[in-house]
Structure formats: structure tokens, C-alpha cells
Amino acid sequence: MQQALINGSTEVHVTASLAVRAIIADNVLPVEMFIRHFLHTITQAMDSRDPAVAVSWSDTLLEAIKILPDNVIQGEIVPLAVSRAQLVKPVPIRVSSCKLLGELAVKYDAQTFKRDLMPTVISLCQDVSGDVRAEMAKQLVKIAPKLGPDLIKSNITQPLIELSSDDIPLVKENTFVTVVETLPYFTTDSLKSTVLPLLKQMIVLAFKMDDSLLVTISNFFGKMCLGVEKFITESEKDLYIKWYATLAVIGVNQSKKDARVTERRGEETHHDVESSPTHRYTLCRKNCAHTFPAMAKFTHDVAKKTTFEFLHNTLKLLVSDPCYVVRKSIACVFNEVCLIYWKYCNFLKDDFITLCKDDSVDVLDGILPNLYSIMEIFTHNDIFKPDSHDEVLSNLMRTLVKTEMTLNKGHRWRSYLLFIEQTRNFYRFVPSDMLYNTLILSCLKITTISRVVPVRLAAMKNLLLYLRYSTRPQQRKEMKDKIVSDFCLSKNFYDRIIYVRIIPTIMEIFSTFYFKEHFFLSTIHLFSDPVPNIRCALVALLPKFKGMLRLPADNKLNSMLEATFPNLEEDKDRETKRIFLSVKDSLEETDIAVKIISGRFEETRGREEIIYRKKR
């Protein structure tokens, strides 16, 4: 490898660095051997003039630091990091020094790091290059926890204050993230006297300058509020809530205007956020939607109901935002919002219905994974009442039918499948009549027209569960007859194979008695099906069919089943014949077991009859 690297191309260097990282991750070599053969190569390759090569080997050294012993770090890595931080070095090398210092902080105790490396950290925080200051501000997240509250106050606080008013936006963004991430490590006095005023100043300045710092603030706003919650007054808490509400609607009017212009031009309304003129505002609203659960935790203990109402108005605006990425973001966390604000579920039900009505499949993808759990929360809090024909529940079920139609048009079969799986146990929440007129009819349609096999199978399973738990005999009969006539006895091969594949599910959901009464005879006829695939799939289920029979009560069914054996033994399809011969022995064992169980049953029934006669 060393010979290949001497005149190697960029691709050779990058590939070699990745190979070395794999060696580190998999712990292939002893540490001493790794140091002897690789460490010098890595440190030399970091000085390459090719930026891609230098970055790749620098990242490799960052991984190697995790396994290097203290004496090697102290003797080779620390001098390397300090020397690369000198002002005469190029900017990329000074940036790599920042990364090295961040990784070295994990290996050092507080006092040693302060003595050996803290002066270098402070000098890099004051570097003339904005890229270096930005990277050092980013690495302070790793350094601060190792120093502890007292050393943070004396060594880190002042550099953070200077970095927070930097002219370069990226420096301010990284500084804000660092301050928020290190909130737990500040002393209470430092928080109240320095950190909280610093955060307020950065937020006010970001609103005034209207720069990219707003995006970072919106992304970490919820975490910041939870971090300062114990150290602020109620009036200050209201101020944070107002800032959040402002961020959550920033640029929304411009987005509506853009949407109307796009609609007039007949273009796709779900435009890419990155190409939008107001994409920065859109990202702010998207981040606010994502952090809404944190804001809910921040306010859920507030005694004033007006605080919830104010935040709920913000939620309604996010749910109806003109940009689909914002609506998708709030849809993804709506389940958490319901868990936190369970007392106010009555206010949240309309927002839930609004999200389910959305025309964007992307938004529906956000709400679908938690559809069933949200229904559980609402039902548990008596928002939906299964025992009565609730108008709100009826509205929701009609909305879900529209959701199914939207997903069907969207051509994303995995989303369609997820919707079907999430509505599988809705019989627990919805009265049978309402379920029949909405989801059952939808499932019947899906099983007939869908071209995706997993979707059809999932819809069939839903239909079987609805059949199992329906309280209306007439509806049960209609569904059962539909399954038998449209699938088991269908002229279409695809319908019949769907039925065969769902037979194990039927056996699992229904009792043996019900299967024998309503499905057994129709299923036996499929053993003479002209399509080999169906016969082949059924033969594998023969032991299960045989095992559910009880003699002499099921003599007729047993005779009909055994009448198919000669034809299967001489089947023209080799695979069907092979499977039958392989299960033949287990069929004979099952037959003996059935006779023993049936004999015991008859013997027990005979004893009970003798005892009964003696008593008479």
C-alpha cells in the first residue's frame, strides 16, 4: 500500500484511507502493529496538496485516535494538532487541527486539556479565517463536556460570546448550536447571567438581520426551550413561545402567493423547496413543525389554558401550511403531540382529520405510521365513541376513504400497504355498520382491482378480521360469500392464487369448526384446479387440512380429502407430485393421530353416557 501511495491518484488514496478505516473499525490488527505500519503513512498523507486526499486521511486519523494509547497521543498526535494550528499553515490544515482538538478532548482529563491544548483552542476561536472559526465553534460541543462547569465558565464562555457576534453566518450558526448543546454543563449563575442573555441577543439579531441563522434557531428552538425551562420566569416563557410562533409562520404569505402563481401556470404545486425563492422561510417552518413536541413539553405544565390555545393556533397554521414539506413534518410528529396534549384531544381531532384529508402522498406518509396509535389515544380519551354513531367518527371514516383513494392514485404501493395495515384493527374503534360502509367496501375494491400482490393480501387479511369481529350476521354472510365466490371459485387464476395464499391466515383467525363449515368444501375443489401453481400451493397445506378433521363427525370431509390423493400422486406437474410425496408420511401420521384423538373422544363420550344412564 505504501508503494502504491507514492505516485497514487486521488482514487487510490481515498480507497486506501477507507481500507485503513475498515481495519480500525474491525480491530483486525493489534494496536502496536497498526502504529508501526500505518500511523506514519496517515500523518504524512494528511499534508497532501490534493484537498480530497488530505480530508480523507484526516478523517482516518480521527478514527485512529479512538484506539491509540495515551503515550502515542501525547507524543505524536498532540504536537501534530498544535503545529497544524499555526497561522502560517493553510486554512484547510488549520480546519483539520480544529477537528483533531475536538477528538483529543475525549481522550484527555479536564486539567491536562486546559494546560496542553486550551491555548490552541482559544487561538483558533480568534483565527482570521471564518472557516476555521466556524469549525472550532462546532468542535466546542465535544470540548465543553470534558472541562466541567467551572472550567467552561473561565475558558469557554468568553470565546462563545465573541463567536456569537461574528460577521460570518456559519460561525454564528455553529455557535448557537454549541451553546444549546452545552446548556446542561453550565453553572446556574452562568446560565442566568451570561448564556440566557446571549441566546436572546442572537435570536433578536437573527430576526433583525433575517439571515440563515434563523434556520438553525428554528431547528434547535425546542431543545433550547427545554434546556432553559427551569431558569426562566413565566413572562420570559411567554416571550419564547411568541418567538416560536413567529418562526412557525414566517414567510407563509409569500409561499401562498407562490402557490397561486404556480397553480395559474399549471405546474406541479409540490415544488422543490431548494428551488423556491422563499426556501429559507420554508425550512424555518419545517423545523418549527418538527420541534413542536418539544414546545408542547415546554408548555404542557403551564396553568393558563390560553397558552395552549395560542400554541394550538400555531399548530393549525402548520397543519394547513401551503408547503407540503411543512405539513409532512408536523404529520410525522403528530402522534407525540397527541401523547403530550392528551387532555386537549378534543381540540386536536380536527387537525388530525385535516392531515388525513391532505392531497399530498408525502404528507400522508408522515401520518400513516402512527394512524392506529393516534386512534387509540383519541378513543381512550372518549373523543371517538365506538358504541354510538358519532358524527366526528363518521367524518373521520369518510376522510379515510378519501385517503385510500389518494394513495391509490399516488402509485406508492408501500404507502398503500401501510395504510391497510394501520386500519387492520379499526374494528375496535368503529361500529360494524360504519365500518362496512367505509373500510370494508374499500377492502373489497382493493382485493379486486389492485395489481400489487402484497397490497391484495393485506386487504384480504383486513377483510377476514372485519368478518371475524363484525356484529351484523347479514354483513358477515355477505363478506364470507364474497370471499368464496370472488376468489376461491373465481375464473381468474390471480384471484384463486390469492385465496390459496390467504388460507393459513383464515385458519389462524377463525376456529376449525368455522373453517370446515364455510371454506373446507370450496377449498377441496381447488385440488383439481387446471393451474399447477394452485395445486402445488395447496398440497403443502394438506397436513393442516388433515389435522383439523375429527372422526367420525368429519368422515365425509375426510373421504373427500383422501379422494384427491390418487390424482395428486400421479400429478403431471413434477413439483406438485414431489411435494405430495414428501408430505405423504406426515399425512399418515396425522391420520393415526386423528383416529386416536377421535377414539379418546368417543371413549370419553361413552363413559359420560353410562354415568348419565346410571344417574337416571
Side-chain angles (χ1 to χ4, degrees), residues 502-516:
I502 208 71
I503 286 175
T505 306
I506 300 176
M507 294 177 174
E508 179 185 336
I509 292 175
F510 296 97
S511 65
T512 301
F513 178 80
Y514 189 89
F515 184 89
K516 288 188 293 187

Side-chain angles (χ1 to χ4, degrees), residues 194-214:
T194 306
V195 178
L196 290 179
L198 176 63
L199 289 172
K200 289 181 182 179
Q201 178 186 338
M202 294 186 75
I203 294 170
V204 171
L205 188 63
F207 276 118
K208 183 179 179 181
M209 300 297 292
D210 192 21
D211 58 12
S212 58
L213 179 58
L214 283 174

Side-chain angles (χ1 to χ4, degrees), residues 374-393:
I374 293 172
M375 283 292 294
E376 274 190 317
I377 295 168
F378 284 151
T379 306
H380 181 73
N381 291 283
D382 296 328
I383 305 302
F384 301 138
K385 299 175 181 177
D387 298 332
S388 64
H389 289 278
D390 185 10
E391 184 59 33
V392 177
L393 183 58

Side-chain angles (χ1 to χ4, degrees), residues 22-70:
I23 290 172
I24 296 169
D26 297 338
N27 197 20
V28 175
L29 296 176
V31 176
E32 294 78 8
M33 188 178 293
F34 176 84
I35 294 169
R36 186 166 60 252
H37 291 286
F38 290 106
L39 186 58
H40 182 66
T41 303
I42 294 171
T43 54
Q44 276 195 329
M46 286 171 60
D47 294 327
S48 173
R49 293 181 180 180
D50 188 333
V53 173
V55 169
S56 184
W57 283 111
S58 296
D59 292 341
T60 304
L61 181 60
L62 295 177
E63 293 296 320
I65 288 174
K66 298 174 183 178
I67 65 168
L68 294 178
D70 293 341

Side-chain angles (χ1 to χ4, degrees), residues 195-430:
V195 178
L196 290 179
L198 176 63
L199 289 172
K200 289 181 182 179
Q201 178 186 338
M202 294 186 75
I203 294 170
V204 171
L205 188 63
F207 276 118
K208 183 179 179 181
M209 300 297 292
D210 192 21
D211 58 12
S212 58
L213 179 58
L214 283 174
V215 178
T216 304
I217 290 174
S218 64
N219 195 22
F220 287 87
F221 203 91
K223 190 168 188 176
M224 177 191 67
C225 289
L226 293 177
V228 303
E229 182 179 11
K230 298 177 181 178
F231 309 101
I232 58 176
T233 62
E234 287 297 319
S235 60
E236 288 177 318
K237 182 174 281 193
D238 290 340
L239 179 61
Y240 280 96
I241 295 171
K242 288 178 182 177
W243 279 336
Y244 172 79
T246 305
L247 280 172
V249 296
I250 190 169
V252 70
N253 292 329
Q254 183 62 37
S255 292
K256 289 180 180 178
K257 191 183 298 182
D258 291 347
R260 286 195 295 269
V261 171
T262 307
E263 188 176 354
R264 282 199 299 270
R265 292 176 180 174
E267 298 172 359
E268 181 64 39
T269 55
H270 296 163
H271 55 273
D272 188 2
V273 177
E274 292 298 326
S275 63
S276 170
T278 57
H279 71 275
R280 192 181 343 126
Y281 295 144
T282 304
L283 288 174
C284 285
R285 301 199 306 276
K286 176 193 170 190
N287 291 338
C288 285
H290 183 70
T291 59
F292 193 92
M295 294 304 298
K297 292 178 183 177
F298 182 61
T299 59
H300 82 288
D301 287 333
V302 177
K304 296 181 294 184
K305 188 178 178 181
T306 53
T307 304
F308 164 76
E309 292 173 351
F310 180 77
L311 206 58
H312 182 239
N313 288 331
T314 304
L315 176 64
K316 288 196 289 187
L317 292 170
L318 292 170
V319 166
S320 58
D321 194 276
C323 189
Y324 79 99
V325 293
V326 180
R327 303 196 303 274
K328 179 180 180 180
S329 188
I330 193 65
C332 290
V333 299
F334 196 80
N335 180 51
E336 297 177 51
V337 176
C338 293
L339 286 171
I340 297 166
Y341 277 148
W342 60 271
K343 294 180 181 178
Y344 303 107
C345 278
N346 192 45
F347 295 92
L348 300 176
K349 64 179 185 297
D350 293 332
D351 305 311
F352 176 52
I353 292 174
T354 302
L355 288 172
C356 291
K357 280 182 181 177
D358 205 290
D359 294 328
S360 170
V361 179
D362 292 291
V363 178
L364 296 177
D365 280 342
I367 198 74
L368 285 178
N370 300 307
L371 188 63
Y372 179 76
S373 59
I374 293 172
M375 283 292 294
E376 274 190 317
I377 295 168
F378 284 151
T379 306
H380 181 73
N381 291 283
D382 296 328
I383 305 302
F384 301 138
K385 299 175 181 177
D387 298 332
S388 64
H389 289 278
D390 185 10
E391 184 59 33
V392 177
L393 183 58
S394 178
N395 185 23
L396 173 64
M397 297 308 294
R398 290 194 297 270
T399 300
L400 290 178
V401 172
K402 180 183 178 298
T403 302
E404 182 269 323
M405 295 171 64
T406 303
L407 291 170
N408 188 26
K409 294 175 185 176
H411 305 295
R412 295 187 189 178
W413 68 266
R414 287 181 176 83
S415 301
Y416 207 4
L417 178 63
L418 182 59
F419 170 79
I420 295 169
E421 291 172 346
Q422 285 290 311
T423 56
R424 181 161 294 160
N425 294 318
F426 269 36
Y427 61 83
R428 298 176 181 175
F429 315 128
V430 185

Side-chain angles (χ1 to χ4, degrees), residues 467-484:
L467 168 62
R468 170 70 176 81
Y469 293 102
S470 176
T471 59
R472 297 287 186 269
Q474 182 61 30
Q475 293 175 4
R476 287 169 60 88
K477 184 177 184 304
E478 289 180 16
M479 285 188 280
K480 184 262 299 178
D481 292 344
K482 198 82 172 172
I483 292 171
V484 173

